[in-house]
Amino acid sequence: MHIIIIGGSFGGLTTAYELRRRLPRGKHEITVIASERRFIFIPSLPWVAMGHKSLEDISFDLERPLNAKGINFVNAAVTEIDAQARQIKTATETYTYDTLVIATGHRSANEAVPGLGPFDGPGHSLMSPPEAMEARETLAAFLANPGPMVIGAAPGASCVGPAYEFLFEVHHALKRRSLAHKAPITFVTPEPFLGHFGVGGFGKIRQYLEGELEERDMRYHTSAAVTKITDSSVELADGKVVPSQYSLILPPLAGINPVAEAKGLANPKGFVPVDATYRHQNFDNIYAVGVAVAMPPVEDLPVPVNFPKTGHMTEQMAKIAAKNIAADIQGGEKTSHDLMVECIMDMGNGGAHIFADPVRPPRNRTSFSTGKRWLMAKKVFSRYYLWKMKHGATNSPKWVW
Ligand SMILES: Cc1cc2nc3c(=O)[nH]c(=O)nc-3n(C[C@H](O)[C@H](O)[C@H](O)COP(=O)(O)OP(=O)(O)OC[C@H]3O[C@@H](n4cnc5c(N)ncnc54)[C@H](O)[C@@H]3O)c2cc1C
């Protein structure tokens, strides 16, 4: 049996390690193919943009850890998937699989709003390592000569949390330099209220965030549809034009092109439809995990906000998928469970811990708490997580994800 996993991040790496634990070496070959040769702890990208961490600090090379576990690693971009022929192609090779796992994350749909950028427009982003590096360089120049700023997310965005983190971190940086008075910040979000996050909110987070933004003299617009970003402003669908010399607006996401273009594989946005076991709805030997998976929004909203797929949720999906692939091969019970979510948000001078089980309301448990200890916990966790992924310790105790 040859299992190919496309993607070497939260989804791909967790699936690979979990499958290796379940399927004997020698009998079953596992190959990870990833366009990026490093595992990058994406949740630390806001720290890269702020200049607190380098990409080196938050990543490691995939080849040795994978090979040490008896998993092949190919550093190449998949250009074509032929689900009918059970083949995938890179620029130079064709690979045949028995089972395929798609863990390819997202493509930033920057074309959704004119000016989103960062490489073809004046806006900035945090959604990928090159974009975070661009934000870092331009932010350093902006902080030396600050002016009005707009931070937020575009209609249809699903990953809104990093916009809040960037908002609080930038404000903290400005305040430390006694420059907050020169940089009025406006937060624009498609969410119907602050802290909705595409999941209907968490307990009293709405009231808390409203208070925190007001405390910091920030303006905010909810149910806001950004229509254009220029060098000097962010325009909204209701006619408002908000002056801005630095605009960081997170885009809506789509599936990567080779997945979106493969016959019968993806929905119109390029995400993969799966059943509760993370198996493709039409191809028995294809699974998908993480951001690549199609998931409906929790509710219809005046301005669309899509369902977020966090690293924590991706890890849960990968473990479920790996267990089910092993069951396909060796026999045994198939498994599934509702996803829960746990996140720590950096708020500049402190942090917030968010937990919900299940993530989609109504829920059995929700908790939200704040304090400096959560910022410390986020720093420790980011280092622990790199260690864990480097050593294949995905079977971690229940109290840490
Ligand atoms: C700025 C930011 C902050 C975040 N903060 C948090 C947080 O605090 N907590 C949290 O839980 N989640 C957070 N998330 C979400 C989290 O990062 C994602 O859920 C997670 O990265 C998804 O993992 P994935 O494996 O599905 O995809 P990705 O991490 O996007 O990885 C995709 C993989 O596929 C590979 N790939 C892509 N295209 C190809 C191709 N054509 N051929 C071969 N390989 C390919 C890439 O090289 C990569 O290895 C954050 C996200 C962002 C952007």
Side-chain angles (χ1 to χ4, degrees), residues 156-351:
S158 50
C159 187
V160 184
Y164 283 95
E165 290 198 308
F166 189 73
L167 175 78
F168 288 120
E169 287 172 27
V170 163
H171 181 261
H172 185 59
L174 286 162
K175 239 184 127 181
R176 265 192 321 177
R177 293 165 170 80
S178 296
L179 288 172
H181 67 299
K182 293 199 171 174
I185 303 177
T186 305
F187 189 67
V188 293
T189 178
E191 300 162 284
F193 53 84
L194 296 183
H196 181 283
F197 289 118
V199 297
F202 298 96
K204 291 182 181 159
I205 197 169
R206 168 190 186 155
Q207 292 82 350
Y208 174 77
L209 285 173
E210 285 175 359
E212 289 299 305
L213 266 69
E214 284 156 16
E215 181 92 13
R216 290 166 170 82
D217 298 320
M218 293 170 183
R219 288 181 177 275
Y220 56 86
H221 300 290
T222 52
S223 294
V226 175
T227 51
K228 192 175 179 183
I229 300 161
T230 70
D231 286 328
S232 58
S233 68
V234 170
E235 298 179 14
L236 305 183
D238 63 4
K240 285 193 191 75
V241 178
V242 188
S244 180
Q245 281 175 31
Y246 192 98
S247 310
L248 185 135
I249 306 294
L250 299 184
L253 306 183
I256 65 158
N257 287 339
V259 172
E261 289 159 6
K263 199 170 151 214
L265 202 57
N267 72 13
K269 285 185 180 165
F271 293 120
V272 182
V274 294
D275 63 19
T277 68
Y278 294 95
R279 183 154 80 171
H280 194 283
Q281 286 176 0
N282 300 318
F283 295 100
D284 283 356
N285 64 335
I286 298 182
Y287 284 74
V289 299
V291 177
V293 170
M295 288 193 176
V298 294
E299 57 189 330
D300 284 335
L301 294 167
V303 181
V305 184
N306 280 306
F307 187 71
K309 292 156 254 177
T310 66
H312 183 208
M313 288 154 68
T314 298
E315 199 177 281
Q316 295 166 68
M317 293 183 226
K319 288 183 179 181
I320 295 169
K323 205 168 171 197
N324 289 324
I325 293 167
D328 287 344
I329 295 169
Q330 298 174 317
E333 286 273 298
K334 299 271 256 181
T335 190
S336 182
H337 63 75
D338 285 333
L339 300 176
M340 61 168 117
V341 67
E342 185 165 15
C343 270
I344 303 175
M345 181 166 75
D346 180 354
M347 298 188 65
N349 56 353

Side-chain angles (χ1 to χ4, degrees), residues 7-11 35-36 42-43 78 103-105 162 290-291 309-312 378:
S9 183
F10 287 79
S35 50
E36 168 63 62
I42 300 286
V78 168
T104 45
V291 177
K309 292 156 254 177
T310 66
H312 183 208
K378 189 172 174 87

Side-chain angles (χ1 to χ4, degrees), residues 353-388:
H353 177 259
I354 297 160
F355 176 85
D357 180 19
V359 61
R360 280 178 191 272
R363 302 171 179 137
N364 296 315
R365 284 192 298 158
T366 307
S367 80
F368 170 65
S369 87
T370 60
K372 285 199 191 306
R373 68 188 186 284
W374 289 120
L375 183 54
M376 184 58 71
K378 189 172 174 87
K379 288 177 184 167
V380 172
F381 180 76
S382 64
R383 294 171 77 99
Y384 158 76
Y385 202 83
L386 278 178
W387 175 88
K388 161 177 155 160

